């Protein structure tokens, strides 16, 4: 048996009054995913512990069966692994967004989904102006970057920018949890304010404003941590060879520490215009010499953060027609049976535009398996499923059983 996990980031939602109380999963045209639910088994999965922030880093690690309370060390370190940045024992790594401020409030967490070329130029500029032996910026993808502080302290209260759209930025700046972290908090807040002065009139931002785009006029560091100690999927579950496919550094970094091969796809953007077909083809190709492939698609999460119901619904339709349909067709031709699971990591409701801790719907289709009562796939129908409510490593154990 081989395995595919299709992860639609942030795909789950809440009933929307303007859409007859339906969610994007209910609104989307997804006949293939619905057919897998009808032929497979379904349930709900709690991916975020009550005492942890509902971030994609927490939720994706939980989907893969990790005890996140014991192994999680921050989002920045995972993205460092993906980017090939080697961290020393005392290096503090933080995710570093380029964000857009408007009238001293956080307009959005993504600087209007700035392009790679534009963001690289800005990060290089900040390195020249603010970088030194103890401070270093590393370019990632679009608005997602990395900041490393040598000998920094991680005991910090950092607010993810996607959790506070429309709020004054000063209210959400970094605070220390103890005296030892005061200097690190002070340094990071200085970098935020200094970046605003430096980026305000940068040619990239002047051009963006001229064309009606949001300016990348501030950095926003968050999710601090040190290099983690994580067992591999082989050590956890005996999976000999696995792969991860994603446009997002965070997910690729989880894959590095999980002992997975990271497969990059040309044209994978992390947005609705990602290369769906390329990701699907790469999954089938990887399945030839891998036991498990984790296919991550970011598009629905970004649409949820934008509060765009129509776009989020469309991304789910694309997931069905341009990825899952191909996977079902191609795995059906294989001599070795393939189990396919579909789920989000967490909800990103369009109404609130932030992640929540609510349990997410999942389906697991195993060829020849007796199906349960669910007839299609959404947040409510899966409650009829035979798996009930799972948590911890129960999803992975159910997948591999």
């Amino acid at each position: 048996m081989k395995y595919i996990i299709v992860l639609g980031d942030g795909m789950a939602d809440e009933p929307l009054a303007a859409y007859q109380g339906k969610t994007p999963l209910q609104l989307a045209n997804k006949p293939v995913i619905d057919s897998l639910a009808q032929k497979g088994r379904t349930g709900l999965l709690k991916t975020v512990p009550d005492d942890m922030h509902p971030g994609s880093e927490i939720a994706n690690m939980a989907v893969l069966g990790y005890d996140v309370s014991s192994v999680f060390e921050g989002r920045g370190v995972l993205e460092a692994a993906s980017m090939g940045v080697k961290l020393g024992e005392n290096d503090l790594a933080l995710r570093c967004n380029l964000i857009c401020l408007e009238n001293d409030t956080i307009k959005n967490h993504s600087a209007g989904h700035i392009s790679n070329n534009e963001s690289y130029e800005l990060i290089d500029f900040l390195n020249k102006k603010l970088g030194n032996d103890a401070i270093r910026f590393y370019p990632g993808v679009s608005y997602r970057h990395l900041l490393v502080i040598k000998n920094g302290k991680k005991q910090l209260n950092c607010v993810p920018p996607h959790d506070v759209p429309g709020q004054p930025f000063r209210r959400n700046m970094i605070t220390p949890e103890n005296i030892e972290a005061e200097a690190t908090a002070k340094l990071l807040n200085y970098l935020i304010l200094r970046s605003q002065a430096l980026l305000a009139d940068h040619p990239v931002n002047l051009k963006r404003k001229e064309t009606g785009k949001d300016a990348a006029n501030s950095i926003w560091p968050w999710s601090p941590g040190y290099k983690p100690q994580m067992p591999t999927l082989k050590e956890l579950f005996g999976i000999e060879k696995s792969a991860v496919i994603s446009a997002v550094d965070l997910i690729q970094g989880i894959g590095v520490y999980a002992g997975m091969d990271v497969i990059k796809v040309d044209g994978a953007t992390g947005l609705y215009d990602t290369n769906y077909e390329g990701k699907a083809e790469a999954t089938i190709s990887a399945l030839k010499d891998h036991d498990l492939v984790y296919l991550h698609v970011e598009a629905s999460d970004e649409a949820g953060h934008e509060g765009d119901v129509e776009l989020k619904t469309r991304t789910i339709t694309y997931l069905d027609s341009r990825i899952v349909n191909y996977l079902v067709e191609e795995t059906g031709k294989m001599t070795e049976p393939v189990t396919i699971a579909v789920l989000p990591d967490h909800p990103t409701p369009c109404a609130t535009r932030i992640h929540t801790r609510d349990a997410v719907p999942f389906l697991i289709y195993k060829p020849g398996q007796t199906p349960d009562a669910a007839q299609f796939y959404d947040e409510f129908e899966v409650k009829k499923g035979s798996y009930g409510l799972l948590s911890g490593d129960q999803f992975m154990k159910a997948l591999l059983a």
Side-chain angles (χ1 to χ4, degrees):
M1 183 76 75
K2 295 200 173 189
Y3 306 89
I4 301 173
I5 300 174
V6 180
L7 197 294
D9 201 301
M11 191 163 55
D13 212 295
E14 298 172 353
L16 295 155
Y19 293 84
Q20 296 77 49
K22 293 184 177 181
T23 68
L25 272 174
Q26 293 175 310
L27 293 167
N29 180 29
K30 50 178 183 24
V32 183
I33 295 176
D34 285 339
S35 72
L36 290 179
Q38 188 175 44
K39 294 184 292 184
R41 296 180 182 177
T42 65
L44 289 166
L45 175 63
K46 182 173 177 59
T47 58
V48 182
D50 291 335
D51 61 345
M52 299 190 78
H53 182 268
S56 291
E57 65 280 16
I58 299 294
N60 278 274
M61 290 173 70
V63 170
L64 285 169
Y66 283 96
D67 178 3
V68 289
S69 297
S70 64
V71 302
F72 179 63
E73 266 289 343
R75 189 166 182 145
V77 295
L78 298 171
E79 300 190 356
S82 170
M83 297 159 67
V85 177
K86 304 297 184 183
L87 297 177
E89 289 186 8
N90 298 316
D91 285 347
L92 179 71
L94 301 97
R95 165 69 171 273
C96 186
N97 282 40
L98 285 173
I99 68 171
C100 179
L101 299 179
E102 190 172 75
N103 299 321
D104 285 341
T105 65
I106 298 174
K107 183 178 182 182
N108 59 57
H109 68 289
S110 64
H113 295 294
I114 189 169
S115 71
N116 288 347
N117 289 339
E118 290 171 310
S119 65
Y120 286 6
E121 185 173 343
L122 295 179
I123 293 298
D124 181 62
F125 172 69
L126 291 175
N127 255 327
K128 291 174 180 176
K129 294 293 184 179
L130 300 175
N132 54 41
D133 290 341
I135 300 168
R136 184 72 183 176
F137 296 89
Y138 294 89
V141 176
S142 183
Y143 62 88
R144 311 175 189 94
H145 307 285
L146 179 71
L147 173 60
V148 176
I149 306 293
K150 288 191 179 299
N151 300 312
K153 303 299 181 183
K154 74 171 185 177
Q155 293 77 20
L156 304 167
N157 293 309
C158 301
V159 178
H162 53 258
D163 279 1
V164 286
Q167 291 190 21
F169 83 88
R170 291 183 184 276
R171 181 195 303 171
N172 294 289
M173 292 180 75
I174 296 166
T175 58
E177 293 180 351
N178 56 32
I179 294 175
E180 288 74 17
E182 285 182 355
T184 303
K186 184 177 180 180
L187 171 61
L188 291 170
N189 286 328
Y190 164 79
L191 293 175
I192 290 173
L193 295 174
R194 186 65 184 138
S195 76
Q196 293 171 14
L198 291 169
L199 294 173
D201 297 319
H202 191 280
V204 166
N205 281 325
L206 294 178
K207 185 174 181 180
R208 286 181 67 81
K209 286 188 282 189
E210 287 175 2
T211 56
K213 298 178 181 178
D214 290 334
N217 52 14
S218 181
I219 62 165
W220 197 263
W222 58 285
S223 196
Y226 307 122
K227 184 178 180 180
Q229 299 297 320
M230 283 173 56
T232 65
L233 290 184
K234 182 177 180 180
E235 292 168 332
L236 281 177
F237 302 109
I239 302 170
E240 288 294 329
K241 197 171 182 184
S242 58
V244 60
I245 298 171
S246 175
V248 180
D249 282 333
L250 163 67
I251 307 301
Q252 295 173 9
I254 292 174
V256 170
Y257 282 114
M260 309 172 83
D261 291 328
V262 177
I263 298 172
K264 298 185 178 182
V265 176
D266 289 341
T269 65
L271 299 173
Y272 74 93
D273 62 352
T274 196
N275 184 0
Y276 295 91
E277 290 80 7
K279 284 188 167 185
E281 292 168 4
T283 299
I284 294 300
S285 179
L287 211 59
K288 295 174 183 176
D289 57 359
H290 291 81
D291 302 299
L292 180 147
V293 180
Y294 192 76
L295 172 56
H296 173 270
V297 182
E298 177 77 0
S300 297
D301 184 61
E302 293 294 343
H305 285 308
E306 297 297 327
D308 192 330
V309 178
E310 301 290 341
L311 179 59
K312 185 169 183 179
T313 301
R314 198 186 327 151
T315 63
I316 297 169
T317 296
Y318 287 164
L319 186 73
D320 184 271
S321 62
R322 301 170 65 179
I323 288 183
V324 180
N325 182 57
Y326 180 81
L327 298 181
V328 170
E329 288 181 350
E330 293 302 309
T331 55
K333 302 173 185 176
M334 296 180 179
T335 55
E336 185 173 4
V338 180
T339 290
I340 300 176
V342 179
L343 75 166
D345 49 349
H346 53 68
T348 308
C350 289
T352 59
R353 297 171 56 191
I354 62 174
H355 300 173
T356 71
R357 291 186 182 84
D358 294 342
V360 297
F362 72 88
L363 72 85
I364 297 176
Y365 165 70
K366 294 175 185 266
Q369 182 183 54
T370 302
D372 58 26
Q375 296 300 297
F376 40 88
Y377 175 74
D378 64 43
E379 297 89 344
F380 308 101
E381 181 71 8
V382 300
K383 294 179 181 180
K384 300 176 183 177
S386 57
Y387 285 118
L389 176 63
L390 303 185
S391 62
D393 62 0
Q394 292 176 325
F395 167 77
M396 281 296 287
K397 288 182 175 178
L399 178 80
L400 301 171

